Amino acid sequence: MTILLDSASVDDAAAAAELGFVRGITTNPALMARETKEPLAHLERLLAVFPEGPVCYQPTGTSFAAMREEARAAASLAPDRVVAKLPATLDAVRLAGILTGEGIRCALTAVYSPAQALLAHEAGCVWIIPYVDRAARHSDGGLTVVNSLAAMLARLQSDTRILAASLKSSVQVSDSILHGAHDVTAPLDVLRGLPAHPLTESAVREFAAAWPQT
Ligand code: G3P
C-alpha cells in the first residue's frame, strides 16, 4: 500500500514528505494551473521533493498528439518514477497502450466503471484512479465503484492497481482500502488528519496532565 499526496503545490509536497508516510505525489491539470504556467518545469520541482517516489503527471494538452508528446517529455525527466496519468477516454486507452509499449508507466484516471478498468488492464496501466468522493456525490456510490473495480481486476488476475483519489476524509481513505483499493492519494489536510480521533486526543490530554511540564 502506498500513500500519495494529491496536489501540485511544492510547499504541500515538502510538508507531506516531512510526515514520513507519504511516498510521492499525484497532480492533474487543474491542480497544476493553480501553481504554474510551465507544468513540465514544475514537475521537475515536484520530483526533487520526492527523490525516490512516484510522481503522477497528467498532460495539460488535450489532443492525442499533444498528450503523447507531453507524456513522453514528462517521463523522460525520471523514467522510473513518472507515471503518465490520462483521463479514461478512447484516446487515452490507445495512447496508454502506445506509451506502455515504449516503457512509460501509465495510469487511467477519472475512472468510474469496471469497463474502464478492463481497458486499463489491456493497456498495461500500473494504476486505475477512481474518484471516490465525486462518485459518491454523483450517486454512483464511491465505495461501490472501488468494489466493482477490485472485482474486475481480480477476475482478470490483473497487475493493475487501484489508486483511490478524490478523498475528502480519513474515513474515505481507510474505507477505500477496505473496499479493495491498493493505494490512496489525498490532499495534505486529509493526510494530516489520518491519525485524528477524539478519544486519542483525550487520552493524550490525560497522559500530559499526569506529568505537568515545567
Ligand atoms: O487529482 C484530483 C482528484 O483526486 C479529484 O479530486 O477533490 O477534485 O474531487 P477532487
Side-chain angles (χ1 to χ4, degrees):
M1 197 274 300
T2 301
I3 299 175
L4 303 175
L5 171 70
D6 197 17
S7 174
S9 158
V10 172
D11 288 345
D12 283 5
E18 285 290 308
L19 293 175
F21 57 82
V22 180
R23 308 295 172 207
I25 186 163
T26 57
T27 67
N28 67 38
L31 294 171
M32 275 287 187
R34 290 183 208 160
E35 305 295 329
T36 185
K37 293 192 184 318
E38 295 180 9
L40 286 169
H42 197 74
L43 172 60
E44 290 193 82
R45 294 181 202 112
L46 298 174
L47 284 163
V49 177
F50 287 100
E52 294 178 5
V55 176
C56 292
Y57 178 85
Q58 188 171 333
T60 54
T62 52
S63 72
F64 182 87
M67 286 195 292
R68 182 187 60 207
E69 294 317 308
E70 199 175 336
R72 285 174 175 161
S76 72
L77 297 174
D80 298 341
R81 299 197 294 118
V82 169
V83 178
K85 192 165 165 267
L86 306 164
T89 62
L90 270 184
D91 263 0
V93 171
R94 183 161 72 94
L95 180 55
I98 292 168
L99 294 175
T100 56
E102 297 173 5
I104 295 172
R105 300 167 77 210
C106 290
L108 285 196
T109 192
V111 163
Y112 293 92
S113 78
Q116 293 169 325
L118 187 158
L119 294 173
H121 165 76
E122 279 299 300
C125 290
V126 293
W127 271 312
I128 50 171
I129 306 178
Y131 282 3
V132 173
D133 194 73
R134 289 195 198 190
R137 281 180 267 148
H138 193 256
S139 79
D140 286 350
L143 297 169
T144 306
V145 169
V146 175
N147 260 329
S148 63
L149 299 180
M152 175 59 80
L153 295 181
R155 175 76 183 84
L156 299 172
Q157 299 183 304
S158 180
D159 291 331
T160 301
R161 296 170 68 87
I162 300 170
L163 171 60
S166 185
L167 301 171
K168 305 298 179 196
S169 69
S170 53
V171 171
Q172 279 186 336
V173 171
S174 52
D175 278 353
S176 292
I177 297 294
L178 289 170
H179 283 75
H182 303 91
D183 309 299
V184 291
T185 184
L188 183 60
D189 62 331
V190 172
L191 297 175
R192 281 181 165 151
L194 284 177
H197 191 285
L199 294 179
T200 304
E201 284 150 23
S202 72
V204 168
R205 285 194 295 274
E206 177 191 340
F207 301 143
W211 288 87
Q213 305 295 301
T214 55

